[in-house]
Amino acid sequence: MSESLTAAELQKKHGIEDAQEFNGTPLAAVSPAPANGHLDTGSQEAFPSLAPSPVSQSANKPAGSAWGSSAGPRIRPAVTKQIMFSDSFILSSSDIATAGRDGKPISLGQVMKQVMVQHKVKIEASTNQKSRQTTFFLKAEYQKDLDKAKRSLLALLSPVSLCFEHAKNYPKRCTHTHERYGLCLPVLSIVSLVLQAPVSTIPSLVGAKGANLIRVREQTGVRIDIPRRDTLPAVNGNAQAMLKETIAERRSSSTQRVRDIPAHILPFLIPLRASFMAADGNDVQLVLNKDTGEIAVTGEHDAVGRVAEKIRSAMAYFTGEVSQLKLTLPKRQHRLLTGSGADEVMAKSKCAVLIPKPEEASEEIVVWGKQGELAGGVQAVMEKANSAYIHEFPLPGPIATSRQLLTYITRVDFAQTLSDANPGVSVYTPPLSAMDKATVLNVDMVGDKPAVDAAVSQFSALIGKLIGATKDVQIDWLVQPIINSHKNAEKIKAFHEVHNVLVFFPPESAELSSVLLVYDPTSPSASPSPVDKAKSLEDVEQDLLKLARDAADVKTETITVEKKWHEAVIGRGGTTLNAIIGEDKTLSIKFGAEVSDASTEDVIRVRGIRGDVDRAVKAILKIVEDAKNDEIESSYSTEFAIDKEFVGRIVGAGGAGVNKIRDLLGVKIDFADDVDDKEKEVSKKKKAVHAKSRVTIVGRKENVEEAKRRITNTADRLADETSEVLKIPHKYHAGLIGPSGKEPLKPDEVLVKGGKKGVANAKSELADAVEFEKESNHEIKFTVPSRAVARILGKSGATINEIKDRTGVQIDVDRVIDDKETNITVRGTKTAIADAKEAILEISDQVGEETTDSLNIESRFHRTIIGAGGQGLKELIIRCGGPTDSKTQAGLVRFPRQGEPSDEVRLRGEPKLVAKLKAELETTVAALRDRVVLAVEVPAAQHRTLIGRGGQHLNELQNRTGAQVQFPGSRSYHPIGEAANASDLEGVDPADIVKVVGPRAACLKAVEELKTQIKPPAPEAVTGTMTVPLKYHHAVTQQGNLFRTLRFMGTQTELSRMPSKPAVPPHPQAGPTEARIDDADDAAGHPEVQWQVVPNYQDAEEGEAEWTFKARDQESLDKALKLTQDAIEHAETMSHVGFLTLPDRSSFPRIVGGKGSNVARLRNETGADITVSREDTTITIIGSESAIEAAKEAILKTATNNRPRGRRDA
C-alpha cells in the first residue's frame, strides 16, 4: 500500500530529530513569512511536537499541542459552521515531477493524499490525455487552509523548488526578489556540490535540533540534504566552506587503539606511560584495558599518531628481548602474585610474572624478563610467594556437596564475615565459574599464622554444622520466578521460621534448575541432630515441589526453521521477539547455536507454560511463512480514532508512554486531529461533540496489531473511568471499610471511583452491605470464668480467631479485672452470635476447676527440660496424661522468660494433672542434679577418628553409654562447666581434654570406653643435623631424588633455609667468535652442534642451611647422614656445566632411552648429572671437566650411531 510521510518521519529518515525542514524544502521557501519578514521557528502551529510547547501569539486563536498541557477544554462550545472555499488550477504533464525530494519514485495519488492529510482539504484531479493536462480541484472550510494546500501541492509536484510567491503566481513566471539572496530560486542557476564528510561528523554538522543547518541556510540561502548513512551529503550553494570548517574541527581530535598486546608484554609497557606522554605534553590521554590487551590513545591527531607509534615500537622491542622461565608453585601461593604482588615483583626485579587462571588446574607460573634479569625475577617471585602464611581448606564431601557448601558460603558472603571477625586475614573462595570443572574446591586463607588458625577454627565449626544440612531441589528455572515472587514471599519466609531452612534460588540469568536448601547453622534454634536436619529439609522440599506443580505446566518444543529466517522472527532490535514473548515474559526462546543439544543451527527451541508455548510456536511459523512469501516488509499500516482527551495520558510526560511502545515493538505511531484546532459550531439544541484524534501505526503487521491493542485498551480503560458519591450513615462505615480502609470524604459520604461497570457493581454491593450491616449490627455481652480466658484465646489468638472466621462475628474480650469472671462482647447477626457464644462457652466448660503450683528449677536445666523446639516439654506432659494438642498444652507449664532472674516454674491446670507434672519435673530435675562432668585425656590428633565421619562413632558411643561427650571446639564444651576431676588433669594440654556429661555411672562407662580406644603414642623419633652449603643444594637434592630415598628409609628432613637462585648458571649466548666443537672432524660430522662450558658455582648463592633429620632409629639416621655426606662430596666435584645444543630433538628419544635408561646408564658411567630439556634442543651436563667431556662424547655417539638407515638400492 502507498505510504505518506510526514515532516517528522522525513526528519527521522535522515537521522535528524528536530531539523526544521518540510518535505525536503527549506521552510524559508515554503511557509508564509510572518508580518515582520522572519520565520517563527518556535511556532507550535508550524512545528507540531509531542511535548508541550509555549503558546505563540498570532493573528488567530493560539494553537496548542493536541496532547500537551495546552490542549484546551475537553468539550468545546458550539460554533456556527462556515461555508466551503474552493479553487482550481491546471498543470501540464511536463510540469509534474515523477520523483520525490529524496529521489524515490512518487505517484500523483500519494502527493494528493499527503496534502489532504496535512491541510484538511479535499482534492480531486482530472487528466485530459489529448492535451496532456491535469486539472486540480481543491475544497476547504477556510481560505487559509486552501492557500496552504495549493502552495504545498505545487511545491511537491514541481521538478524544482519554488518560493511562496512563485507557487502563488504559478504558472506565471516569478519575478519575486528575496531580501537575503536576491532573485527567486527558479530564476537563479542551481549548482549542486557533493561534500565528503566522515560519518562521525554528521551530528556536528546537524547540531542540536538542527541548529547548525539552520544557521548555514539562513546565512547562505542554500538547501543542504543530509542523506542516509550509506550515501554522501549533498550541498547546494556556497555553504561548502562553512561545513568544511566544522569537519576540520571534528577531525582535529582522534583516537587510535593499539590492540593485541601480548599478556607478558603488557606489564613492561605500563611503567613507560610517563615516557610515552613526555614528548607530547598533555595533548593525549592513555586508557588501558587489561582484559582485551588494548591501549587507547586519544587527543590531537598528530600527537596520537606519534604516541601510538612509540607504544608499538616498545612492544616490538620487548617481544624480541624478553624470555621466559617456568616454575611450579602450589596453587594457593598464586594469589600472592597477582595485582599489587605482581607490581612489586616488576618494581624489584624488572620481570613480569604470569599465573594461570583460577579455574585452571595448572600450578605452573611463568616469569618473563631479560636474560640477565631472570635470576633476580625468580628470587623476587619466591620471596613474594613465601611472604605470607596460606592455609588451603578443602571443602568436604563429594563434589556435589562441596558445590552446595560453596554456594551457601558465597550467597551469605561468609568470606567477608570471616575476614571481619579475624582482622588481617583474607579469605578467598573459588570462583563460581570453576564449580562445574573442578574436582576439589578449596577455600584459601591468607595472613599471619595465629590469625589464620583462628579463622580456620571458626570456618571448621561452620562446615561441621553444614554437614548433612544442605540439599538440592530440581525445579524448572522458568517456574522459579513464579515461586520466588512477592505472592509466595510469606511462605518462603515461613520455611525459615518453622523449619529453620533457607532457600537460595539461582540467578534468573543463569537458567539453572537447581534450588539450594540449607538448614540454617547460625540460627539459635538450630538442632544438632542429623535426623532433625534431614526431616526439615525434606518437608521444605515437598512444599517447594508442590508450589512448582501448582505454578505451571512447563513444556519444551523444538521446531525446524532455517537459520536465514531467524532474523525475521527476532525482528529489528528484538522487537518481534518481544511481541511474541509478551508482557508476562514466561517464555524462553533460543535460536540455532543457543540450543546446546541441537545438531544443526536450523532450529528454534521454545520453552515455557504449555499454552504460551503453543501460541508462540504458531506465531513463529506464521512469521516464517510470511517471510518466505515476502510479506513481512515493515509497511503494514492501520488507522483508528480515539477521543482526543485521552491522547495526553496515552502519550505520557515527554512522550514516555508512546515511546515505550515504539521502542518495544519497533513501530511508528503518529497522532493527528480529525478536526481543526478551531472550534466548530453546532446547533444549540445538540450537545457538544467530543473531538477525535486519529492514530496511525506503521510497521510489521503483528507488531502494529499489538500496538493498536495496547493503545485501544488504554483508551477504553480511561473512557470507562467514573466516580459517584453515596450517602451512607457514618455508623456503618467501620463495618464497610474494614480494619485497613481509609476515612471517607465526609461523615456520611463514601467515594467510589473506577470503571463505569465497576462503579455500578460496587454501588450495588455497598447498598446490599448497608442493609446487611443494619441486619447484622446486633450485640450481646456475657461473662466466663477468668481461668478459661487463656484457653478461649489460644496461642497468639489462634482459637478466638478461628471462631471469628467460622461464624463471622466480632469478639472483644475485656481485660481481666478480678480473678473470677471476665466480660466478652460479641457483635453480628443473631444466628452468628448464638453460634459464637456456644463455641466460647463450650471451651469454658472444658476448663474445670484449676489449681496453680510452682517449684524451683535451676535455670541451667531449663533448656534441657524444654528440649529442641519444645519437644521435651511436650513429651513430659503426654507422659503425665496431659493433652496431646499443642494448643491445649499451652499454659500448663510456664518457665521464666530468658533474662529473668527467677528460677520459679509455674504449673496451672486440673489438680491431678498439676500434681503429676510436678512429680515428673522433680524426678527429672533430680536426675539432672545427679549429673556430673568428668574429663578424660585424649590426644587431639585422635579426636577426628573418635568422632567419625558425620559424628557416626560419637553418636554410637553416646547411645551405648547414655552420656554426652563434648570435644574441644564444640558449642557446648564450655557451657557444661568444669569437670569434677579437673585437678587430676593439671598440666595436660587443654586441647587434649574431652568432657563427658551425664549420670555418674554413664559417665564412668563412657570414660572407660574412650580410654580403651586411645591408641598408644608413636615412639619418639631420633634426630640429627647437618650443615649443607646453599650452593650445593640443587646438586645434593638431585631434583628431589635424595628426599624420596630418605623417606623410603623412614627418615624425614626439614630445611632451615631454601636457596633463591636457580640450580644452574644461565645458558650463555653464543657470540660470533665462539667455537662450536674443537675437533675439526667432529665439527665436520656435527656442523650444527654447539658445545659451551662454564664454571659451576661461580655466581652461586652464599650461605648455609641446617638440615634436620628425624629417623625411626639410630641406624636409619646414620644411613641418612652418610648418604647426604656422600652427596655433598659428590657435589663438590661438579665444578663445570656444559650446554650441548643439538640441531633438533629427533635424537632425544634415543639419548633418553626407555624410561630414562640411557641417561641413567650415562650418569653411572661418567659420573655427570645429565638433564634433557623438554622445551628446546639443549642438554645440560653438570660434573667435573673430564666427566662432562666424556658424557658429551657418549651423547654425540648415541645420537650419530643410532640414526635410522636409509633404503638400500637394489
Side-chain angles (χ1 to χ4, degrees):
M1 63 185 295
S2 61
E3 179 183 5
S4 60
L5 302 178
T6 65
E9 290 173 327
L10 284 173
Q11 294 170 3
K12 294 180 180 178
K13 181 176 179 182
H14 292 293
I16 305 172
E17 290 299 330
D18 296 318
Q20 301 187 11
E21 182 173 323
F22 183 77
N23 292 327
T25 308
L27 290 170
V30 296
S31 59
N36 57 5
H38 295 283
L39 178 64
D40 183 7
T41 59
S43 171
Q44 179 66 21
E45 181 179 9
F47 301 97
S49 63
L50 286 177
S53 60
V55 179
S56 60
Q57 302 294 334
S58 62
N60 299 323
K61 185 181 181 295
S65 171
W67 43 81
S69 59
S70 58
R74 295 184 178 182
I75 302 178
R76 304 186 184 278
V79 294
T80 304
K81 186 174 181 180
Q82 299 179 0
I83 61 174
M84 299 293 292
F85 296 88
S86 61
D87 196 359
S88 64
F89 61 90
I90 300 175
L91 292 178
S92 63
S93 299
S94 59
D95 292 335
I96 299 177
T98 58
R101 296 309 178 191
D102 55 359
K104 293 185 178 180
I106 186 171
S107 66
L108 178 60
Q110 289 175 317
V111 174
M112 293 171 59
K113 182 178 180 180
Q114 181 176 341
V115 175
M116 286 189 292
V117 170
Q118 292 176 349
H119 300 287
K120 308 297 185 300
V121 299
K122 293 183 180 179
I123 302 177
E124 296 179 357
S126 175
T127 303
N128 189 326
Q129 299 295 339
K130 293 184 179 180
S131 61
R132 300 181 63 81
Q133 291 182 335
T134 300
T135 303
F136 294 89
F137 299 93
L138 293 83
K139 293 182 179 180
E141 294 182 359
Y142 303 98
Q143 183 64 44
K144 180 180 179 180
D145 291 341
L146 186 67
D147 295 340
K148 287 182 180 179
K150 180 179 179 181
R151 289 195 295 267
S152 179
L153 182 62
L154 288 171
L156 292 173
L157 295 177
S158 175
V160 296
S161 300
L162 302 177
C163 73
F164 294 132
E165 294 297 328
H166 191 98
K168 183 172 64 177
N169 299 324
Y170 191 88
K172 299 178 181 179
R173 182 174 182 82
C174 177
T175 58
H176 176 64
T177 301
H178 295 272
E179 292 184 10
R180 293 185 179 273
Y181 43 87
L183 292 178
C184 177
L185 287 177
V187 179
L188 298 173
S189 60
I190 298 176
V191 179
S192 296
L193 298 176
V194 176
L195 178 63
Q196 302 290 344
V199 176
S200 60
T201 64
I202 296 299
S204 299
L205 295 177
V206 176
K209 298 184 179 181
N212 291 348
L213 285 182
I214 294 175
R215 177 175 55 83
V216 175
R217 288 170 182 166
E218 292 178 350
Q219 294 180 8
T220 61
V222 301
R223 187 180 79 241
I224 303 172
D225 295 330
I226 304 294
R228 296 181 180 271
R229 290 181 178 271
D230 54 353
T231 59
L232 299 173
V235 182
N236 290 15
N238 58 358
Q240 185 176 13
M242 298 179 65
L243 295 180
K244 282 186 174 181
E245 181 180 355
T246 302
I247 295 172
E249 292 177 357
R250 297 296 298 174
R251 280 181 167 172
S252 63
S253 178
S254 65
T255 300
Q256 289 191 26
R257 289 176 171 83
V258 182
R259 296 186 172 93
D260 301 327
I261 303 176
H264 68 279
I265 299 298
L266 196 58
F268 294 95
L269 300 180
I270 294 176
L272 301 179
R273 174 189 177 94
S275 62
F276 291 149
M277 302 177 62
D280 296 285
N282 298 324
D283 293 339
V284 296
Q285 294 181 351
L286 302 182
V287 179
L288 171 64
N289 189 333
K290 289 187 177 181
D291 296 334
T292 60
E294 176 183 289
I295 298 177
V297 188
T298 304
E300 195 273 328
H301 186 272
D302 295 337
V304 166
R306 292 192 297 269
V307 173
E309 186 59 32
K310 288 181 182 179
I311 296 175
R312 294 188 182 96
S313 300
M315 184 172 66
Y317 168 78
F318 284 111
T319 302
E321 284 292 320
V322 299
S323 57
Q324 65 175 342
L325 182 63
K326 296 182 178 180
L327 301 174
T328 300
L329 286 176
K331 196 77 173 179
R332 61 180 181 273
Q333 292 182 306
H334 291 191
R335 298 190 181 278
L336 301 175
L337 300 176
T338 60
S340 60
D343 295 339
E344 291 179 17
V345 172
M346 170 60 74
K348 185 175 182 180
S349 62
K350 298 182 180 179
C351 291
V353 57
L354 299 183
I355 64 173
K357 296 181 179 179
E359 57 267 21
E360 297 179 2
S362 174
E363 293 187 343
E364 188 176 68
I365 67 171
V366 183
V367 182
W368 289 87
K370 296 181 180 180
Q371 190 66 37
E373 297 172 346
L374 276 178
V378 172
Q379 182 177 357
V381 167
M382 296 301 295
E383 291 177 355
K384 187 61 182 175
N386 295 313
S387 61
Y389 175 73
I390 304 176
H391 183 90
E392 193 174 51
F393 193 105
L395 295 179
I399 187 62
T401 302
S402 300
R403 290 170 181 164
Q404 294 171 359
L405 298 177
L406 178 59
T407 302
Y408 169 76
I409 292 169
T410 304
R411 293 292 291 271
V412 303
D413 199 12
F414 187 75
Q416 184 62 42
T417 303
L418 195 60
S419 297
D420 295 340
N422 299 274
V425 177
S426 299
V427 182
Y428 301 95
T429 57
L432 296 179
S433 58
M435 288 179 59
D436 296 334
K437 301 179 181 178
T439 57
V440 178
L441 297 174
N442 296 320
V443 176
D444 296 338
M445 305 180 195
V446 182
D448 295 335
K449 190 175 187 306
V452 170
D453 290 342
V456 170
S457 176
Q458 187 176 349
F459 190 71
S460 300
L462 175 70
I463 296 299
K465 297 176 184 178
L466 288 174
I467 297 300
T470 60
K471 190 172 187 178
D472 279 332
V473 181
Q474 298 302 316
I475 298 177
D476 195 286
W477 68 270
L478 281 172
V479 181
Q480 291 176 19
I482 302 175
I483 300 175
N484 191 25
S485 64
H486 66 280
K487 183 174 66 175
N488 296 321
E490 292 298 328
K491 295 182 180 179
I492 295 176
K493 182 179 179 181
F495 290 156
H496 186 264
E497 295 176 350
V498 178
H499 301 283
N500 195 45
V501 173
L502 298 172
V503 183
F504 296 99
F505 290 90
E508 190 173 347
S509 59
E511 298 186 359
L512 297 177
S513 297
S514 180
V515 178
L516 177 63
L517 307 182
V518 180
Y519 188 82
D520 189 1
T522 62
S523 175
S525 61
S527 172
S529 172
V531 178
D532 293 343
K533 295 179 182 178
K535 186 177 184 307
S536 298
L537 292 173
E538 184 177 356
D539 291 344
V540 174
E541 178 185 15
Q542 296 303 322
D543 291 344
L544 276 179
L545 293 177
K546 183 178 183 303
L547 289 175
R549 288 192 298 269
D550 297 342
D553 180 15
V554 177
K555 174 185 177 182
T556 301
E557 184 171 346
T558 303
I559 56 178
T560 302
V561 176
E562 293 184 55
K563 184 179 179 181
K564 62 181 179 180
W565 304 118
H566 291 182
E567 193 65 31
V569 178
I570 297 173
R572 186 175 183 180
T575 52
T576 306
L577 185 61
N578 289 336
I580 295 174
I581 293 176
E583 292 181 281
D584 294 336
K585 297 182 180 179
T586 58
L587 285 175
S588 170
I589 302 180
K590 303 289 185 181
F591 296 85
E594 296 178 350
V595 183
S596 57
D597 56 348
S599 58
T600 176
E601 292 190 4
D602 296 335
V603 294
I604 298 177
R605 187 182 70 186
V606 185
R607 192 160 179 267
I609 310 303
R610 181 176 297 275
D612 293 340
V613 170
D614 296 339
R615 174 187 59 78
V617 170
K618 184 177 180 181
I620 291 173
L621 294 178
K622 177 66 169 61
I623 292 173
V624 173
E625 184 65 24
D626 291 344
K628 292 179 180 179
N629 296 330
D630 294 328
E631 294 180 355
I632 60 171
E633 292 292 334
S634 297
S635 59
Y636 179 80
S637 176
T638 186
E639 292 184 0
F640 58 95
I642 62 174
D643 286 345
K644 183 177 179 182
E645 61 179 319
F646 303 142
V647 172
R649 297 179 64 178
I650 294 175
V651 172
V658 73
N659 287 338
K660 181 179 179 181
I661 300 177
R662 286 170 176 164
D663 297 339
L664 188 63
L665 300 178
V667 296
K668 296 179 180 179
I669 304 176
D670 285 326
F671 294 86
D673 295 340
D674 281 343
V675 298
D676 192 78
D677 288 337
K678 297 180 178 180
E679 299 174 350
K680 292 183 175 181
E681 293 185 358
V682 296
S683 175
K684 293 183 179 180
K685 296 182 180 180
K686 295 183 179 180
K687 295 182 179 180
V689 179
H690 284 283
K692 294 285 186 178
S693 287
R694 186 175 63 258
V695 184
T696 303
I697 308 177
V698 181
R700 181 193 290 278
K701 182 177 180 180
E702 293 81 0
N703 300 15
V704 168
E705 295 298 334
E706 174 67 14
K708 179 180 178 181
R709 183 186 66 80
R710 296 187 184 186
I711 293 176
T712 54
N713 287 347
T714 304
D716 292 343
R717 177 176 57 80
L718 295 174
D720 192 49
E721 285 188 354
T722 186
S723 62
E724 288 195 24
V725 177
L726 307 180
K727 296 291 185 177
I728 297 176
H730 185 267
K731 64 179 180 179
Y732 300 123
H733 287 183
L736 298 177
I737 295 174
S740 60
K742 295 182 179 179
E743 191 69 20
L745 301 178
K746 293 181 180 180
D748 59 348
E749 289 184 351
V750 175
L751 176 64
V752 184
K753 188 175 182 180
K756 294 178 180 178
K757 294 181 180 179
V759 169
N761 293 336
K763 181 179 178 181
S764 176
E765 290 182 9
L766 281 174
D768 295 340
V770 170
E771 295 300 323
F772 175 79
E773 282 293 320
K774 291 178 180 179
E775 293 293 331
S776 61
N777 199 11
H778 295 277
E779 176 181 298
I780 66 168
K781 293 184 179 181
F782 59 95
T783 61
V784 296
S786 297
R787 65 176 180 272
V789 171
R791 185 79 61 85
I792 293 172
L793 294 177
K795 187 177 181 179
S796 301
T799 305
I800 198 71
N801 288 334
E802 183 181 350
I803 297 174
K804 289 179 180 178
D805 295 338
R806 187 174 72 249
T807 61
V809 300
Q810 296 183 12
I811 303 174
D812 293 332
V813 180
D814 294 344
R815 291 185 178 182
V816 178
I817 300 176
D818 52 41
D819 295 336
K820 295 182 179 181
E821 293 184 342
T822 299
N823 293 326
I824 294 181
T825 304
V826 182
R827 288 184 294 273
T829 63
K830 293 180 179 180
T831 304
I833 289 175
D835 294 340
K837 181 179 180 181
E838 181 182 358
I840 294 172
L841 293 178
E842 181 180 356
I843 297 174
S844 176
D845 294 340
Q846 293 176 359
V847 181
E849 187 65 28
E850 286 188 348
T851 184
T852 59
D853 203 347
S854 65
L855 69 161
N856 288 328
I857 300 176
E858 293 86 337
S859 59
R860 67 177 186 273
F861 300 140
H862 291 181
R863 183 183 294 274
T864 305
I865 296 174
I866 295 173
Q871 188 63 30
L873 184 59
K874 293 177 183 178
E875 294 175 355
L876 185 144
I877 295 174
I878 295 173
R879 286 200 307 270
C880 296
T884 58
D885 183 24
S886 58
K887 296 181 180 179
T888 311
Q889 289 179 349
L892 291 176
V893 182
R894 291 188 177 274
F895 286 83
R897 294 186 178 181
Q898 189 174 4
E900 292 183 5
S902 175
D903 291 338
E904 182 183 15
V905 177
R906 290 173 291 174
L907 308 176
R908 186 180 67 178
E910 298 177 3
K912 293 182 180 180
L913 179 58
V914 169
K916 290 182 180 180
L917 289 173
K918 184 175 182 180
E920 184 68 20
L921 285 171
E922 289 175 345
T923 303
T924 303
V925 172
L928 292 174
R929 287 170 180 164
D930 185 49
R931 187 186 67 166
V932 296
V933 179
L934 299 179
V936 58
E937 180 182 1
V938 179
Q942 300 184 33
H943 289 182
R944 184 182 296 273
T945 305
L946 294 177
I947 295 173
R949 186 171 185 179
Q952 180 181 359
H953 296 166
L954 177 61
N955 291 334
E956 292 174 354
L957 174 63
Q958 294 179 152
N959 293 334
R960 285 196 305 270
T961 61
Q964 291 186 354
V965 182
Q966 300 293 340
F967 286 85
S970 67
R971 184 175 60 180
S972 302
Y973 184 81
H974 293 289
I976 62 177
E978 291 292 333
N981 59 341
S983 59
D984 298 338
L985 299 176
E986 290 183 1
V988 178
D989 189 354
D992 295 340
I993 297 179
V994 177
K995 294 181 182 180
V996 183
V997 60
R1000 180 174 294 276
C1003 291
L1004 293 175
K1005 183 179 178 181
V1007 168
E1008 291 300 326
E1009 189 165 343
L1010 282 172
K1011 289 181 178 179
T1012 60
Q1013 296 181 9
I1014 298 175
K1015 297 180 181 179
E1020 187 175 354
V1022 181
T1023 61
T1025 60
M1026 178 177 290
T1027 301
V1028 179
L1030 290 176
K1031 64 180 180 180
Y1032 295 151
H1033 175 87
H1034 298 290
V1036 171
T1037 57
Q1038 303 171 17
Q1039 300 180 357
N1041 288 331
L1042 177 64
F1043 295 142
R1044 286 189 286 272
T1045 302
L1046 293 177
R1047 282 197 298 269
F1048 181 76
M1049 295 167 55
T1051 303
Q1052 299 294 330
T1053 310
E1054 295 180 359
L1055 282 64
S1056 64
R1057 185 179 176 188
M1058 292 289 292
S1060 58
K1061 292 189 176 181
V1064 298
H1067 187 182
Q1069 298 294 332
T1073 61
E1074 187 173 358
R1076 298 288 182 94
I1077 295 180
D1078 298 335
D1079 186 70
D1081 295 335
D1082 288 345
H1086 311 285
E1088 298 180 1
V1089 175
Q1090 294 184 3
W1091 172 245
Q1092 298 168 292
V1093 179
V1094 298
N1096 196 8
Y1097 310 132
Q1098 60 178 351
D1099 294 326
E1101 186 173 357
E1102 297 298 331
E1104 295 178 340
E1106 185 179 77
W1107 290 23
T1108 303
F1109 301 88
K1110 296 181 180 180
R1112 293 189 297 252
D1113 48 39
Q1114 187 63 40
E1115 183 180 357
S1116 299
L1117 179 62
D1118 294 339
K1119 289 182 179 180
L1121 294 174
K1122 185 176 183 309
L1123 186 62
T1124 306
Q1125 185 61 40
D1126 293 342
I1128 294 174
E1129 294 175 357
H1130 178 68
E1132 293 175 351
T1133 64
M1134 303 174 74
S1135 58
H1136 290 75
V1137 180
F1139 297 95
L1140 180 61
T1141 303
L1142 301 183
D1144 52 48
R1145 297 176 59 87
S1146 60
S1147 60
F1148 276 28
R1150 297 190 298 276
I1151 296 173
V1152 175
K1155 297 182 179 180
S1157 57
N1158 287 348
V1159 171
R1161 177 178 56 80
L1162 292 176
R1163 287 173 180 164
N1164 295 332
E1165 292 177 354
T1166 62
D1169 187 9
I1170 303 172
T1171 302
V1172 180
S1173 174
R1174 295 182 180 181
E1175 300 175 356
D1176 50 32
T1177 61
T1178 300
I1179 300 174
T1180 304
I1181 307 172
I1182 306 175
S1184 62
E1185 188 171 5
S1186 59
I1188 65 175
E1189 290 292 340
K1192 179 200 70 173
E1193 296 299 333
I1195 292 173
L1196 292 177
K1197 182 177 180 182
T1198 301
T1200 305
N1201 294 341
N1202 292 325
R1203 288 182 180 174
R1205 298 178 180 178
R1207 183 175 63 85
R1208 181 177 296 176
D1209 296 332

